[in-house]
Amino acid sequence: MYKIAVLGDKDSVTAFKALGIDVYIAYEAEEARDQIDGLAKDQYGVIFITEDLAQKIPKTIARYDEVMTPAIILIPSNKGSLGIGMDKLNKNVEKAVGANIL
């Protein structure tokens, strides 16, 4: 059974604790890379990460796009959306079905 985690700044991810999701705090690129690699080894199937933080580690995000698990899902931070999460979703849908249906 896979677990679910959320990674980002404290203000953006703390509320996820109420949903029973494991919360991890990171602000810098090195912290985020280490956390994601550790979560992947620890059987996390889905890792939500704030767009702000994901923007700092594009190579790490791209590396996990090539594997089945964990799925890295970009979410807006408490400051709002940068649009990169929706762009990534659109690209994945287009790749899966051959057209952008969103």
Side-chain angles (χ1 to χ4, degrees):
M1 186 163 148
Y2 290 107
K3 301 180 271 186
I4 300 173
V6 65
L7 177 64
D9 63 275
K10 184 178 180 181
D11 293 336
S12 297
V13 300
T14 302
F16 286 88
K17 283 184 179 180
L19 300 173
I21 296 174
D22 296 337
V23 172
Y24 296 89
I25 309 298
Y27 292 94
E28 299 302 324
E30 188 174 332
E31 291 176 287
R33 278 191 292 272
D34 292 346
Q35 289 279 15
I36 289 175
D37 290 339
L39 293 170
K41 290 177 185 173
D42 199 23
Q43 298 300 311
Y44 279 83
V46 177
I47 301 171
F48 293 99
I49 181 171
T50 60
E51 291 176 328
D52 291 339
L53 193 55
Q55 197 172 30
K56 295 178 182 180
I57 56 167
K59 289 180 182 178
T60 302
I61 301 298
R63 182 167 34 100
Y64 284 102
D65 283 345
E66 303 299 320
V67 297
M68 183 68 76
T69 56
I72 307 286
I73 312 291
L74 279 56
I75 59 173
S77 70
N78 65 335
K79 298 172 192 162
S81 177
L82 300 175
I84 58 176
M86 190 54 127
D87 288 344
K88 185 175 179 201
L89 177 63
N90 284 330
K91 287 176 186 172
N92 286 337
V93 168
E94 190 170 337
K95 185 169 83 175
V97 297
N100 187 348
I101 61 172
L102 298 177

